[in-house]
Amino acid sequence: MQDLVIYGAGGFGRETALMIEEINQQHRSFNLIGFCDDAIPKGERVDDYEVLGNSDYINTFGGMLAVAIAVADCSVRRNLRAQIKNRNVSFPSLIHPSVLRGAVKKNVISEGVILTAANVLTTNVRFDPFVIVNLACTIGHDVRVGAFGTIMPGCSISGHTVIDEGTLVGTGARLLPGLTVGKSCRIGAGAVVTRSVPDFTTVVGIPAEPLK
């Protein structure tokens, strides 16, 4: 088993801890030794796990260590990754046992990706590093999600859609086929995206329009 620390002891971090426990019920893969967090004092306990410190704990850890960065905010997750300098650290992809993984040999799931319960993948899907796909999303054929992207619960991403790095897709959003969503965009909760979205744009509504 790999020793593993979850970076982020908030709501999604606690859900990730539960996911690790459920993964271990299927196959003993990880020894979850605790959380790291920049805002919660060292020594506090969160859902029965100790807060071990912040990135200093990870950077000075003496052995091999797996780290899951479990923070939904794309830019915060990118910054946390940049703080980790320890060459003994790995970032495993974490996939809940209930995920329908689709064409496993054709789908690409990069380091640091977290796929939570009840997600459905089809074929030729690509998740770049440190993508999070939260609960019960459907990911169509030939979809690509760029590094540090976040797909919130209950989204439907249709085939041939490209979502660039650092973009967050809000809860329950729907993206129609063949669209391109630029980098560092925000798709509002419940939005229906019917046309491509340029970089650094927030869209909301049905159909989704840029937020003014």
Side-chain angles (χ1 to χ4, degrees):
M1 287 196 299
Q2 288 181 286
D3 286 340
L4 183 139
V5 165
I6 296 173
Y7 206 149
F12 186 68
R14 292 185 289 118
E15 290 178 343
T16 301
L18 173 62
M19 187 174 83
I20 296 296
E21 294 170 359
E22 292 171 337
I23 289 171
N24 283 339
Q25 289 173 9
Q26 299 288 321
H27 183 270
R28 296 289 295 174
S29 300
F30 301 104
N31 174 36
L32 178 53
I33 60 177
F35 291 103
C36 283
D37 197 281
D38 292 343
I40 300 176
K42 179 180 178 180
E44 287 199 15
R45 298 193 69 82
V46 175
D47 282 9
D48 300 323
Y49 294 100
E50 184 178 357
V51 176
L52 304 167
N54 53 24
S55 59
D56 290 339
Y57 175 87
I58 295 171
N59 286 329
T60 58
F61 192 86
M64 304 301 293
L65 181 66
V67 175
I69 304 179
V71 177
D73 186 282
C74 306
S75 59
V76 172
R77 194 158 71 253
R78 185 191 297 275
N79 290 337
L80 293 177
R81 170 63 186 93
Q83 293 177 26
I84 298 172
K85 309 295 185 181
N86 190 338
R87 297 188 180 215
N88 292 324
V89 167
S90 63
F91 301 94
S93 57
L94 302 177
I95 303 173
H96 191 277
S98 67
V99 171
L100 298 183
R101 298 178 63 174
V104 174
K105 293 183 178 179
K106 296 179 180 178
N107 293 338
V108 177
I109 299 174
S110 304
E111 69 168 356
V113 169
I114 301 176
L115 304 180
T116 65
N119 284 301
V120 179
L121 281 58
T122 57
T123 186
N124 293 100
V125 172
R126 180 183 180 92
F127 296 127
D128 288 344
F130 300 99
V131 164
I132 288 174
V133 184
N134 214 321
L135 303 166
C137 296
T138 59
I139 310 294
H141 62 86
D142 303 289
V143 165
R144 180 194 164 195
V145 182
F148 299 97
T150 298
I151 312 297
M152 297 298 278
C155 292
S156 177
I157 313 298
S158 300
H160 286 295
T161 294
V162 175
I163 299 171
D164 211 337
E165 62 182 70
T167 283
L168 184 144
V169 180
T171 300
R174 301 287 184 264
L175 276 66
L176 297 192
L179 302 181
T180 298
V181 179
K183 64 177 63 175
S184 299
C185 292
R186 297 292 180 268
I187 308 301
V192 177
V193 183
T194 60
R195 56 187 177 182
S196 293
V197 180
D199 295 346
F200 309 108
T201 302
T202 296
V203 297
V204 297
I206 304 175
E209 297 290 345
L211 186 64
K212 297 181 180 178

